[in-house]
Amino acid sequence: NAGVIQTPRHKVTGKGQEATLWCEPISGHSAVFWYRQTIVQGLEFLTYFRNQAPIDDSGMPKERFSAQMPNQSHSTLKIQSTQPQDSAVYLCASSLVGFSNERLFFGHGTKLSVL
Amino acid sequence: GDSVTQTEGLVTLTKGLPVMLNCTYQTTYSPFLFWYVQHLNEAPKLLLKSSTDNKRTEHQGFYATLHKSSSSFHLQKSSVQLSDSALYFCALSGSNTNKVVFGTGTRLQVLP
């Protein structure tokens, strides 16, 4: 089992460009979570899918961020018109079915740098 | 909404000493609490979890007790090792959607 796979590991974009981050959950896991990690904010919840359906996107900045899960094997986080404050490590995690007592398995993250 | 508070940003200790990392939470739902540990350049991974009030849970020498009366889930270890140096996150799953929210994290630095 390869674990949660996130690509790319590093992404550098210019201000105003679009960035798409990819996540492949552990095979058989039906819940996928996205987080943004910064030193100041820690791990900020962004959004959460279960069985490919969006369940809770209360952490997503509404204007430029969007997430999709077109099939059970991958999810994407898209940031339009990137700004320097979007620079962070974006972490994807999966769990078996999304119950409250389940552990999350994290990927190594995508480090986004907006110049 | 649900929230987790970790008051210490950095804790520095000499190896062999005890440590307690603070975690308090807010939720209107029945809480499930977790501690995750993130070593340098690694992904966060689960250290321990609990939803049972006043019951100590232990793993790898670390332990924590969920106290619903004070909304706390502090992480403790009786004798820290150099390998315990890492970032520790407290997390809560308590909403009706089962989303998991994390605190800002506490960096534990263990000195020789």
Side-chain angles (χ1 to χ4, degrees):
Chain A
N1 193 328
V4 176
I5 299 172
Q6 290 190 249
T7 54
R9 290 294 299 272
H10 303 275
K11 186 167 183 68
V12 180
T13 66
K15 182 179 174 181
Q17 292 184 327
E18 182 178 288
T20 300
L21 315 180
W22 292 72
C23 170
E24 180 181 329
I26 292 173
S27 177
H29 282 193
S30 59
V32 171
F33 300 77
W34 283 96
Y35 292 88
R36 176 167 61 185
Q37 183 174 14
T38 60
I39 292 175
V40 173
Q41 298 292 334
L43 280 170
E44 284 181 273
F45 171 81
L46 295 175
T47 190
Y48 156 40
F49 294 86
R50 188 190 301 144
N51 293 323
Q52 300 171 231
I55 301 299
D56 190 326
D57 67 352
S58 57
M60 289 280 274
K62 296 304 180 190
E63 289 189 353
R64 298 181 293 106
F65 285 61
S66 62
Q68 294 182 333
M69 191 162 184
N71 56 60
Q72 63 185 9
S73 64
H74 89 273
S75 175
T76 58
L77 179 68
K78 183 179 292 186
I79 309 172
Q80 295 179 312
S81 185
T82 54
Q83 302 298 309
Q85 61 264 32
D86 299 331
S87 296
V89 176
Y90 290 83
L91 287 167
C92 175
S94 70
S95 68
L96 191 59
V97 293
F99 289 162
S100 61
N101 62 340
E102 291 179 350
R103 67 178 288 187
L104 299 184
F105 293 81
F106 282 87
H108 280 81
T110 295
K111 183 176 182 178
L112 176 66
S113 299
V114 182
L115 304 179
Chain B
D2 292 354
S3 66
V4 174
T5 301
Q6 295 181 249
T7 53
E8 309 103 350
L10 171 66
V11 172
T12 302
L13 289 171
T14 303
K15 73 174 182 179
L17 291 179
V19 66
M20 185 170 83
L21 306 183
N22 291 314
C23 172
T24 56
Y25 65 90
Q26 282 189 315
T27 182
T28 55
Y29 296 88
S30 183
F32 215 106
L33 273 296
F34 306 80
W35 277 99
Y36 283 81
V37 58
Q38 185 179 29
H39 287 94
L40 192 62
N41 298 323
E42 293 186 7
K45 59 183 179 182
L46 179 69
L47 182 57
L48 47 80
K49 64 179 182 178
S50 180
S51 65
T52 306
D53 200 11
N54 297 318
K55 182 180 177 183
R56 177 164 149 162
T57 183
E58 300 187 37
H59 185 64
Q60 297 182 338
F62 287 92
Y63 58 95
T65 303
L66 176 60
H67 292 296
K68 292 184 180 180
S69 60
S70 58
S71 299
S72 67
F73 190 58
H74 306 318
L75 182 68
Q76 297 179 266
K77 191 174 186 184
S78 57
S79 174
V80 294
Q81 304 303 308
L82 294 175
S83 58
D84 294 329
S85 294
L87 189 54
Y88 291 80
F89 290 101
C90 184
L92 163 70
S93 179
S95 74
N96 57 335
T97 64
N98 292 340
K99 75 177 183 184
V100 183
V101 296
F102 286 77
T104 51
T106 297
R107 182 166 298 282
L108 176 62
Q109 185 177 51
V110 181
L111 303 177

